[in-house]
Amino acid sequence: MLTTLIVIHALVAMFLLGACTHQMVGLFTTKPPLNPSFVNAYRSTNGMVFVRFVCLSYVVSFILGAYLYPDYRLDARPALEEYKAYAIVGLFELKEHIAVLGLATLPVYYQTWSVTTNVKIDRQKKIAATLVITSSVWFTLIAGHVVNNVRGL
Amino acid sequence: MKSFSANWFSSLFIISYCISLGTGTTLFFYYPLTQEISLDLLDKSHGPAMTWYGHIALSFIIGTLGGLIGKDKWFGAGKGQLLPFYLTIASICCFIYWLRPFWG
């Protein structure tokens, strides 16, 4: 059961990673693509479709992680402390806080993409919000993988 | 119906999360070994205490109150709108500073 949940948590995180990275790349495209190519196809995104998917999958991944956290605390963390792998323990601590920052930013992220008032500031807000979410997802995914590789559940 | 201010929610959530982490203030403690929730610290027979859920709950309540009471226009029309993101960067610096004993 635990392994299944961890795998689902990782899979949701990977889909989330793909979506927000895709959106981040698309954000820096202002002109329509001139010729069909993988790069041009990759950076074409429908903003709001991605926003809803990112918000939903972030929350799902967060809830799964919160559900698995007690098992990490009781099982994996004591083992890491026994190995004296304090850097890994610290990495996971940072992961949990960064994940919360991303969660806190989701409402602003959603609102930024759905409401336009001032074009210049809105673009800066879109970049900032998407960058926070994307960076958060990248960091938490990599940190989670590293911790799980050292001592998984 | 009054609209919810996402800027206020995010800003207050981040600020209260950082303050609660820095001061060790949490809404409740969760003991995974005995699967208990307690408002106070219990003895070691209950196993390790987890404060993360309490920090999130406290910050969520404060953020939600801020989102319901605050107005987006109070952030102004300019760079003030980017406050939640400045707070995010400041928070990350705080987290790294507080967690440095793990890496040093």
Side-chain angles (χ1 to χ4, degrees):
Chain A
M1 173 71 172
L2 213 55
T3 308
T4 305
L5 286 176
I6 285 228
V7 169
I8 294 172
H9 178 56
L11 285 173
V12 171
M14 277 185 246
F15 280 120
L16 176 58
L17 187 77
C20 54
T21 306
H22 202 149
Q23 190 179 39
M24 194 77 222
V25 170
L27 198 56
F28 290 100
T29 307
T30 50
K31 296 176 186 175
L34 296 173
N35 57 323
S37 68
F38 175 77
V39 173
N40 285 332
Y42 185 81
R43 60 186 191 178
S44 305
T45 61
N46 180 320
M48 280 314 293
V49 170
F50 273 75
V51 167
R52 289 186 200 106
F53 178 80
V54 166
C55 289
L56 180 64
S57 49
Y58 196 105
V59 171
V60 169
S61 185
F62 190 90
I63 290 171
L64 283 169
Y67 183 81
L68 290 164
Y69 192 5
D71 292 293
Y72 160 83
R73 187 63 186 85
L74 288 177
D75 189 7
R77 183 167 160 169
L80 289 171
E81 288 171 346
E82 208 173 316
Y83 299 157
K84 298 199 188 321
Y86 300 116
I88 302 297
V89 175
L91 183 66
F92 191 85
E93 293 280 315
L94 188 59
K95 175 193 160 158
E96 70 191 54
H97 300 321
I98 300 277
V100 172
L101 285 186
L103 187 75
T105 309
L106 279 183
V108 175
Y109 166 78
Y110 186 89
Q111 187 199 55
T112 302
W113 279 90
S114 57
V115 175
T116 302
T117 48
N118 178 317
V119 175
K120 184 182 172 190
I121 287 295
D122 282 349
R123 180 164 167 75
Q124 290 176 2
K125 275 183 81 173
K126 270 185 189 174
I127 291 171
T130 311
L131 189 62
V132 167
I133 299 294
T134 307
S135 310
S136 166
V137 173
W138 270 98
F139 179 81
T140 52
L141 185 98
I142 291 171
H145 266 294
V146 168
V147 173
N148 196 58
N149 285 349
V150 174
R151 179 59 163 87
L153 291 177
Chain B
M1 184 183 151
K2 185 192 177 302
S3 63
F4 186 80
S5 171
N7 279 340
W8 275 105
F9 171 85
S10 293
S11 301
L12 287 180
F13 190 116
I14 293 168
I15 291 170
S16 55
Y17 187 75
C18 282
I19 291 174
S20 71
L21 262 182
T23 58
T25 311
T26 184
L27 202 59
F28 57 84
F29 299 90
Y30 176 64
Y31 292 87
L33 191 66
T34 52
Q35 296 180 342
E36 283 178 271
I37 292 175
S38 170
L39 297 178
D40 303 306
L41 266 174
L42 303 175
D43 58 71
K44 288 184 180 179
S45 64
H46 294 265
M50 293 178 69
T51 57
W52 188 65
Y53 301 105
H55 290 314
I56 293 172
L58 180 63
S59 305
F60 184 81
I61 290 169
I62 293 171
T64 303
L65 286 172
L68 290 171
I69 296 168
K71 296 184 190 335
D72 269 339
K73 63 182 181 185
W74 295 348
F75 280 81
K79 295 285 184 186
Q81 292 282 327
L82 300 175
L83 180 64
F85 312 111
Y86 299 142
L87 289 172
T88 301
I89 295 168
S91 304
I92 292 171
C93 296
C94 289
F95 299 153
I96 292 172
Y97 180 76
W98 290 331
L99 293 172
R100 72 191 190 288
F102 285 103
W103 304 306

